[in-house]
Amino acid sequence: MVNKGFTGITIRSMEMDDLKKVLEIEKKSFPVPWAYELFFSELTRNKYARYFVMEKNSEVMGYLGLWHKGTSFHITNIAIAEKFRRRGYGKIFLKFIEKIAATYRIKKIFLEVRRSNCIAQDMYRKYGYKVIKLLRNYYQEEKEDALVMEKKL
């Protein structure tokens, strides 16, 4: 699926050739980044996984991971390259998710977010996500809690 917006931004399915750039973004975005093998497995073995990249002028600006199970989407990752952060690109991904959710008759979207990641939480709340649960020590290496957030469509 390719989604082209008026801003010159394209969102398309992630390909193996994107992994080098995706891993660079991943390492700068998360304290415990996913390894190549995990992304590889998601792209090649997980029948529920849907991964996308956002690009402009052939430059990968960010990526998005979803699991599609039944009538719900589980956001596994959203990350934007450092130089593009705080410019509304996360919002573009959230709108994209809702657009494709309509195609699949999705009724809810949920995700986990670090309790300390107030910037992401604020963005999700702004677009209708609500905290439904606290998961203690979800991020085990750092012993950090996660908030489970959900948006009903």
Side-chain angles (χ1 to χ4, degrees):
M1 167 177 280
V2 174
N3 182 45
K4 289 193 175 194
F6 64 91
T7 58
I9 292 170
T10 300
I11 298 175
R12 61 169 175 77
S13 293
M14 186 185 293
E15 300 170 359
M16 298 305 285
D17 289 346
D18 297 316
L19 286 183
K20 181 179 178 189
K21 182 61 180 175
V22 165
L23 286 166
E24 288 174 18
I25 296 169
E26 175 78 6
K27 287 175 185 170
K28 292 182 179 178
S29 298
F30 301 106
V32 181
W34 282 18
Y36 173 89
E37 293 76 19
L38 187 49
F39 279 104
F40 180 84
S41 178
E42 288 289 281
L43 291 175
T44 61
R45 295 186 191 105
N46 184 344
K47 69 179 182 177
Y48 302 108
R50 309 285 182 270
Y51 280 77
F52 302 91
V53 293
M54 178 185 294
E55 65 182 4
K56 187 173 187 175
N57 301 324
S58 299
E59 180 178 6
V60 174
M61 304 164 64
Y63 63 92
L64 160 69
L66 298 171
W67 289 342
H68 175 197
K69 290 187 177 182
T71 58
S72 55
F73 276 160
H74 178 175
I75 300 172
T76 58
N77 357 43
I78 293 182
I80 304 295
E82 248 179 325
K83 71 180 186 177
F84 296 111
R85 289 184 190 157
R86 300 179 87 41
R87 296 186 192 175
Y89 296 117
K91 172 181 83 171
I92 292 170
F93 266 145
L94 293 178
K95 287 183 175 186
F96 172 77
I97 293 167
E98 289 187 27
K99 183 178 178 180
I100 62 173
T103 304
Y104 294 104
R105 296 189 172 114
I106 298 298
K107 295 185 178 168
K108 69 179 179 176
I109 304 165
F110 66 97
L111 58 94
E112 296 86 19
V113 61
R114 288 177 184 279
R115 195 173 197 176
S116 64
N117 191 345
C118 296
I119 293 170
Q121 291 172 41
D122 289 346
M123 178 183 73
Y124 296 131
R125 281 189 184 98
K126 184 176 177 180
Y127 293 99
Y129 290 77
K130 295 182 178 0
V131 175
I132 60 166
K133 190 189 311 183
L134 172 70
L135 300 175
R136 297 229 178 257
N137 295 320
Y138 180 80
Y139 300 100
Q140 294 177 357
E141 289 191 29
E142 309 89 343
K143 299 191 183 338
E144 184 172 357
D145 299 341
L147 301 176
V148 177
M149 299 184 80
E150 176 184 79
K151 180 172 185 174
K152 292 182 179 175
L153 302 174

